[in-house]
Amino acid sequence: MSKALLHICCGPCAIQPVSLLKEEGFEVEGFFYNPNIHPFSEYRKRYEAVVIASERMGLSVIYHKYDFEEFIRKISCIENREEQHSFCWRIRLQEAARVAREKGIESFTTTLLASPYQDVGQIKALGQEVAAKYGLNFLARDFRSGFAASHKASKEWLLYHQNYCGCIYSEKESIEQREKRRKI
Ligand code: SF4
């Protein structure tokens, strides 16, 4: 059976990709690496949700480092928000690819492809670019069709649901948008 390393951004988004990849015949291993989640209390909530979800799914997960200091140092030098997103997707895909190669796993992908809030086209392109660099196969699936089913299951499992993407910039944007909507 061929193995796939699945980068996991959060518990709710992992449910459908794990099930779809298993249906395709992959032996799936999770990889939780998200230095873009701030503050640390929020990171812990998402981490715990992945622990619960992976236990429910019988999924083995690598809980990788939380090198948020380096992330903050680098992202704060980027002014453009689109470039910040790209940087943020790229570093997580690169680390997933590096670990997949180290472990002899030929294929990798990410639960970021399950989110209707992310730029799936750009994430697929970045994944393919990173895969070529590491000599791996990027599973450029569109997991978004399973988003509603994933979130229904995650509510039944009482998983934590975040209300912003992850970084401190997105937390500010999310609060501002909610305030704006309340004023309309
Ligand atoms: S908004 Fe999301 S994708 Fe963009 S930099 Fe922040 S955490 Fe990363």
Side-chain angles (χ1 to χ4, degrees), residues 4-17:
L5 191 72
L6 174 67
H7 165 259
I8 295 177
C9 63
C10 65
C13 283
I15 298 172
Q16 215 50 10

Side-chain angles (χ1 to χ4, degrees), residues 54-68:
S54 60
E55 279 171 4
R56 299 284 301 234
M57 297 185 287
L59 179 76
S60 149
V61 177
I62 299 165
Y63 294 94
H64 203 47
K65 60 187 174 181
Y66 179 58
D67 52 348
F68 89 98

Side-chain angles (χ1 to χ4, degrees), residues 159-183:
L159 298 188
Y160 171 70
H161 280 236
Q162 63 266 23
N163 58 13
Y164 63 98
C165 188
C167 63
I168 45 173
Y169 304 95
S170 62
E171 190 215 17
K172 177 173 174 280
E173 286 161 359
S174 165
I175 291 170
E176 285 172 348
Q177 279 163 12
R178 284 201 297 274
E179 284 177 354
K180 207 169 156 188
R181 278 199 297 272
R182 273 202 295 270
K183 282 181 195 154

Side-chain angles (χ1 to χ4, degrees), residues 36 71 75 81 84-85 88-89 92 118 165-167 170:
N36 59 307
F71 179 90
I75 203 167
R81 282 296 278 140
Q84 284 187 333
H85 302 323
C88 178
W89 294 322
R92 289 181 284 165
Q118 307 281 334
C165 188
C167 63
S170 62

